[in-house]
Amino acid sequence: MAQLIDGKKISKEIKDELKEKVAAYKAQGKTAALAVIQVGEDPASSVYVNNKKKACEYIGIESLEFHLPEAITENELLVQIDKLNKDDKVNGILVQLPLPKHIDEEKVIQAISPQKDVDGFHPQSVGALTIGQKGFVSCTPAGIIELLKRSGIEIAGKECVVIGRSNIVGKPMALLLLRENGTVTIAHSKTADLRQVTKRADILVVAVGKPKMIDSSYVKEGAVVIDVGIHRNAENKLCGDVDFDDVVEHVSAITPVPGGVGPMTIAMLMHNCVSTMA
Ligand code: NAD
């Protein structure tokens, strides 16, 4: 029987630990506030922003919402970020992505002070991760490391394969697995023989963005499979990048969708915010 890696339970554990830490910091007179900027009315973004607000309330930090109109210019948004960079009451700044097409996301990410970059997307944060220095780590991959550790899954010395090389998941995931002493391979859309690569994996992290693409033919018997994907299928049900039903009999541990990686992203965002209170 495969171990079901319970992201709901583990993310709750982390949030409860953070809640205690925040209370202790508050007792020392320290406070924290997360500024969340949303541009436009994308319904999925509104759900994410609302979940972040609820998580802040739960652990006891202030969330400051900046809901800006779709038509805002890039410059107006940059001015808003600059104000928040200079505001001592604000410890973390997050700009909900995606942004409307007329705004350059790269420019916006780079405008956030690296000291307040709780999403870990700023080039300085990514650079720090690459050379093993202190800095904010992108929340979804950081959450996956927590899932593995708290489920008792050893990373050191293991063959780790990450499918996907995006800046927010694939690349930082590979770097974090390397930091934990895994032997890491990144597979991507130009990988010549994907199965041959993924079949080597003791730990397979799938961030391919294609519903149920990874079935048991890609997976080594007894592997640990982490499914980062989130999609809605034809019946409006959530599913991942992994064909869970086909794979589950062949693995030693697996994350479900929903209830696996998803809840960890916000938990790690809260972890990054609380780390600014130290
Ligand atoms: P992305 O589209 O930016 O990247 C997908 C990657 O998959 C690319 O690097 C590409 O090279 C690779 N790829 C595409 N087709 C391939 C193929 N046929 N074979 C091998 N590689 C292939 O996506 P992303 O932002 O990294 O997200 C990946 C998935 O994770 C999406 O489903 C997204 O919704 C989900 N996601 C979930 C969370 C969460 O909190 N759970 C957070 C971020 C992303």
Side-chain angles (χ1 to χ4, degrees), residues 140 163-166 168-170 187-189 194 207-210 213 228-231 241 261-262 265:
T140 302
I163 318 179
R165 57 175 162 184
S166 70
I168 62 167
V169 186
H188 49 76
S189 53
L194 186 61
V208 75
K210 303 224 155 49
M213 178 182 145
V228 189
I230 312 176
H231 312 274
D241 289 347
V261 173
T265 301

Side-chain angles (χ1 to χ4, degrees), residues 25-256:
Y25 282 132
K26 279 187 173 168
Q28 298 167 23
K30 294 177 178 171
T31 57
L34 169 67
V36 180
I37 303 178
Q38 183 183 356
V39 180
E41 303 300 332
D42 176 46
S45 291
S46 300
V47 171
Y48 290 132
V49 166
N50 199 34
N51 287 343
K52 288 167 188 173
K53 194 173 133 194
K54 277 197 224 154
C56 284
E57 268 167 29
Y58 184 76
I59 68 162
I61 68 176
E62 195 181 350
S63 71
L64 306 167
E65 254 183 280
F66 297 85
H67 197 163
L68 308 174
E70 176 97 19
I72 194 170
T73 65
E74 185 180 283
N75 198 46
E76 284 167 329
L77 178 56
L78 294 174
V79 167
Q80 178 65 67
I81 292 171
D82 190 47
K83 264 195 218 159
L84 295 168
N85 280 340
K86 289 175 178 147
D87 186 341
D88 289 341
K89 288 196 299 293
V90 173
N91 313 50
I93 303 170
L94 179 156
V95 178
Q96 185 63 45
L97 303 178
L99 289 168
K101 297 256 176 301
H102 65 280
I103 299 177
D104 181 346
E105 278 186 4
E106 284 306 313
K107 232 179 179 173
V108 169
I109 289 169
Q110 290 185 27
I112 297 171
S113 160
Q115 277 69 46
K116 300 190 179 187
D117 174 40
V118 285
D119 253 340
F121 294 164
H122 191 283
Q124 191 171 313
S125 308
V126 179
L129 174 62
T130 309
I131 58 172
Q133 285 186 356
K134 231 173 147 261
F136 292 110
V137 177
S138 179
C139 302
T140 302
I144 291 169
I145 296 291
E146 282 300 311
L147 279 182
L148 291 169
K149 286 187 172 172
R150 291 176 187 243
S151 303
I153 294 162
E154 178 79 34
I155 303 170
K158 294 288 169 61
E159 284 278 352
C160 304
V161 174
V162 180
I163 318 179
R165 57 175 162 184
S166 70
N167 288 340
I168 62 167
V169 186
K171 281 183 201 147
M173 186 72 250
L175 288 166
L176 284 175
L177 289 164
L178 185 62
R179 191 166 87 177
E180 298 296 330
N181 298 314
T183 301
V184 184
T185 306
I186 306 179
H188 49 76
S189 53
K190 298 286 190 290
T191 297
D193 184 348
L194 186 61
R195 279 186 185 82
Q196 184 249 325
V197 176
T198 58
K199 279 250 178 201
R200 283 207 312 261
D202 300 313
I203 298 174
L204 179 63
V205 180
V206 186
V208 75
K210 303 224 155 49
K212 295 193 181 185
M213 178 182 145
I214 300 303
D215 62 19
S216 56
S217 69
Y218 289 87
V219 177
K220 179 168 89 173
E221 253 347 270
V224 173
V225 173
I226 304 291
D227 187 354
V228 189
I230 312 176
H231 312 274
R232 283 207 181 268
N233 65 14
E235 298 94 58
N236 205 31
K237 279 203 174 142
L238 288 175
C239 72
D241 289 347
V242 175
D243 185 344
F244 183 92
D245 294 335
D246 189 56
V247 164
V248 69
E249 299 299 328
H250 301 273
V251 296
S252 59
I254 186 166
T255 57

